[in-house]
């Protein structure tokens, strides 16, 4: 599953990112915001109009807006919440 | 003994609360300028340590890392490294971290600490972290980072004295010891360390009770969010027109009585005319718009300070994507409503060069505050002050329509440009949505004061000069008795020539005359109309007392007034904007393009407006 397909509010871990699918500068910006393999993310909001673009992703205590095209490059695994995890 | 002030720099991620901390530390003693050669703003201020020692504090642009590509972040890196011309290398780095976002902010913090420069950490906004249920252990963080950590709350002035003392101590320590660069670690390692340090520094973390999540539920709601944004923007424009009225009336009365006073005290002479008709009528007619500009900036600054501006960018992204731009362009474009110059400068945060160029090219179409005086005078004179609904006046509605015309025009132009001259790979949109915060009165007041001062300085210098020059051009050569002074003057001759070209769009001689000096600054159109009619009224005593609005009403028709408004929506009436565009695009190619297409658009818009209004029988 890629990040853009993740249901809203479901915690997930980024399994891998296909950096080659992104423009180098945007890839770097995403990395500096912590959006990289291993990061724990939640999809918080989807945009309004056709295409549900852009997306708002919660990472740690930060919210980052990005486009679907970026989210599509990120493979995520939903976390099955263990108690106290 | 007078010592060189300690140079300290505030460094940190965007949204770490640097600016609020900067304001709290330096108060209103700030100097804003540009770094030489680049248009990145340099904010510096002074603070006095408990020891009496002065510190020159520099607020650096927020940065996510040293290898970033944006010009703002480049300046941050260069200043810290001591490579920025016009800025001494800081003796002490004040690393500002957002307490509730430690894990993220510690990544860049490690990169800064690697340099081994004397550093003090300000653990900022600890109150907001506590509100979010986070209890932190500054001592644990201090041990982990190996530099002093001071918890601060800029708004409540908590920790400021301690921070100042720590800056002094850090400098003294640095004198005793050499700098020791720390070993370099890679980004994934830094991120892991950041996670460990943050976890170790958090004593307890209760369930996320976050106000901003609830606010976002409403404000970013797919269906509720956009109407809220548009309603807010509508309120802003109504407020600009209605709230300002009593203040503007007061200022106008003041300007009027000042003119009367000069008339009463000085003997009748050409010098007296210069002072009353030139300086007081000209500069005064612009200064009365100060309240409106302050109100507009009040809303823009509040939206920025609360964190709503980034949400607006999020909501606008899809629409902007429709014309090939991104939500990032929304902030420069919204700033352009105040003035295109800071707007064009704000495009530096747009990473994609084609995206940025397009935003620069359309920024002048956003209705800047300098157009407001022109719109306000014409609307007040020609549009009846009727109510069209509860709280909605016809005048405010026309003003809103003018803003919308600029926006729609800009979007259409962007659409065309992105498919032709600025074609490129689809741009992206990546940006942090900061936490919501209550703006502080002090930060707002400082921001408003700075904008108001810039406006008044313009009125006092450029507009002052242009007004006097225009008055001279209008008064010389002197007319023969019985001849019209304006037709005889140099300016009148020029305007009569230009009027031939502008006649098809409904402009008369005075309108043609007004748009020439308005190239220096748009609002000069008002002062030049005021000066022109003051000069021509001198021959005719009945009209001397008439306010500018009544003068206009007696000399222009409604289609002419509407055509004049349409011209000002599009025309590139400001040399400073062209100059900034030249600097930002490194050449004359794009500014020339901008001038050409905007003049063409203005002519076309005025032509269509004038003849449509004529056809509707409004003349």
């Amino acid at each position: 599953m890629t990040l853009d397909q993740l249901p809203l509010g479901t915690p997930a871990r980024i399994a891998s990112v296909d950096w080659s699918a992104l423009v180098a500068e945007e890839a770097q910006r995403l990395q500096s915001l912590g959006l990289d393999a291993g990061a724990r993310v939640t999809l918080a909001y989807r945009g309004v109009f056709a295409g549900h673009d852009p997306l708002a992703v919660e990472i740690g205590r930060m919210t980052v807006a990005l486009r679907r095209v970026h989210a599509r490059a990120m493979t995520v695994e939903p976390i099955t919440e263990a108690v106290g995890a | 003994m007078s010592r060189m002030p300690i140079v300290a720099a505030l460094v940190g991620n965007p949204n770490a609360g640097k600016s609020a901390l900067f304001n709290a530390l330096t108060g209103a003693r700030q100097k804003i300028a540009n770094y030489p050669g680049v248009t990145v703003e340099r904010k510096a201020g002074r603070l006095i340590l408990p020891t009496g020692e002065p510190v020159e504090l520099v607020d650096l642009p927020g940065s996510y890392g040293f290898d970033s590509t944006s010009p703002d972040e480049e300046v941050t890196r260069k200043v810290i490294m001591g490579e920025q011309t016009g800025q001494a290398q800081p003796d002490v780095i004040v690393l500002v971290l957002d307490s509730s976002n430690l894990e993220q902010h510690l990544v860049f913090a490690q990169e800064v600490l690697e340099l081994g420069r004397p550093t003090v950490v300000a653990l900022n906004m600890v109150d907001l972290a506590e509100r979010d249920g986070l209890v932190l252990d500054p001592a644990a963080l201090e041990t982990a980072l190996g530099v002093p950590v001071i918890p601060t709350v800029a708004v409540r002035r908590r920790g400021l004295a301690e921070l100042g003392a720590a800056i002094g101590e850090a400098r003294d320590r640095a004198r005793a010891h050499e700098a020791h660069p720390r070993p370099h670690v890679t980004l994934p390692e830094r991120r892991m360390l950041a996670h460990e340090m943050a976890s170790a520094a958090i004593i307890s973390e209760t369930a996320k009770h976050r106000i901003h999540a609830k606010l976002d539920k409403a404000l970013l709601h797919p269906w509720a969010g956009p109407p809220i944004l548009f309603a807010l923007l509508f309120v802003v424009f109504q407020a600009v027109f209605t709230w300002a009225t009593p203040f503007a009336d007061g200022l106008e009365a003041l300007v009027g009585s000042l003119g009367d006073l000069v008339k009463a005290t000085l003997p009748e002479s050409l010098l007296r005319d210069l002072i009353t008709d030139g300086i007081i009528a000209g500069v005064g007619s612009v200064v009365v718009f100060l309240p409106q500009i302050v109100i507009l900036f009040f809303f823009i600054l509040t939206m920025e300070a609360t964190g709503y501006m980034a949400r607006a960018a999020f909501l606008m992204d899809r629409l902007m994507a429709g014309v090939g731009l991104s939500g990032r362009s929304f902030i420069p474009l919204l700033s352009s409503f105040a003035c295109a110059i800071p707007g064009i400068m704000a495009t530096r945060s747009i990473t994609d060069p084609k995206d940025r160029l397009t935003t620069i090219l359309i920024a002048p179409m956003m209705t800047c505050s300098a157009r407001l005086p022109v719109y306000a005078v014409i609307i007040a004179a020609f549009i009846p002050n009727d109510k069209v609904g509860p709280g909605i006046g016809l005048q405010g509605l026309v003003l809103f329509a003018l803003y919308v015309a600029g926006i729609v025009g800009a979007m259409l132009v962007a659409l065309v440009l992105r498919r032709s001259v600025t074609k490129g790979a689809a741009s992206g949109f990546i940006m942090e949505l900061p936490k919501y915060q209550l703006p502080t009165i002090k930060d707002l007041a400082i921001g408003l004061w700075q904008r108001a001062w810039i406006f008044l300085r313009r009125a006092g210098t450029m507009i002052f000069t242009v007004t006097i020059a225009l008055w001279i051009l209008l008064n010389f050569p002197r007319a023969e008795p019985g001849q019209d002074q304006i037709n005889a003057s140099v300016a009148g001759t020029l305007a009569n020539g230009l009027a031939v070209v502008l006649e098809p769009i409904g402009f008369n001689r005075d309108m043609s005359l007004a748009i020439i000096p308005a190239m220096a600054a748009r609002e000069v159109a008002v002062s030049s109309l005021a000066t022109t009619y003051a000069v021509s009224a001198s021959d005719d005593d009945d009209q001397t007392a008439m306010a500018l609005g009544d003068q206009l009403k007696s000399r222009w028709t409604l289609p002419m007034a509407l055509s004049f408004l349409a011209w000002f929506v599009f025309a590139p009436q400001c040399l400073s904007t062209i100059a900034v565009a030249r600097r930002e695009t490194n050449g004359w190619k794009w500014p020339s393009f901008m001038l050409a297409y905007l003049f063409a658009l203005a002519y076309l818009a005025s032509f269509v407006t004038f003849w449509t209004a004529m056809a509707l029988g409004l003349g």
Side-chain angles (χ1 to χ4, degrees), chain A residues 23 25-37 39-40 42 45-67 69-70, chain B residues 64 67-70 73 100-101 104 132 134 187 191 205 208 210 212-213 216-217 220 222-223 226 314-315 317-319 321 325-328 351 427-433:
Chain A
V23 182
E25 279 166 14
E26 292 186 351
Q28 195 211 325
R29 198 145 280 273
L30 290 169
Q31 282 179 11
S32 68
L33 285 162
L35 285 157
D36 204 342
R40 198 187 139 131
T42 311
Y45 300 95
R46 278 182 222 272
V48 197
F49 306 100
H52 298 293
D53 224 0
L55 309 170
V57 175
E58 280 177 10
I59 167 164
R61 285 176 173 263
M62 185 170 62
T63 311
V64 175
L66 43 78
R67 287 236 179 112
V69 66
H70 307 127
Chain B
Y64 290 105
D67 46 4
S68 294
T69 44
S70 85
E73 298 181 67
S100 43
N101 210 351
Q104 178 65 29
D132 289 353
L134 261 183
L187 179 62
R191 210 177 277 142
E205 186 176 10
K208 283 183 195 171
R210 290 193 296 175
H212 84 261
D216 270 343
K217 270 219 161 62
L220 292 185
W223 299 112
F314 180 87
L315 291 171
D317 182 61
R318 188 65 191 88
L319 283 180
L325 294 172
S326 85
R328 269 195 186 274
T351 33
S427 58
F429 174 62
I430 302 165
M431 97 183 276
E432 185 183 340
L433 303 180

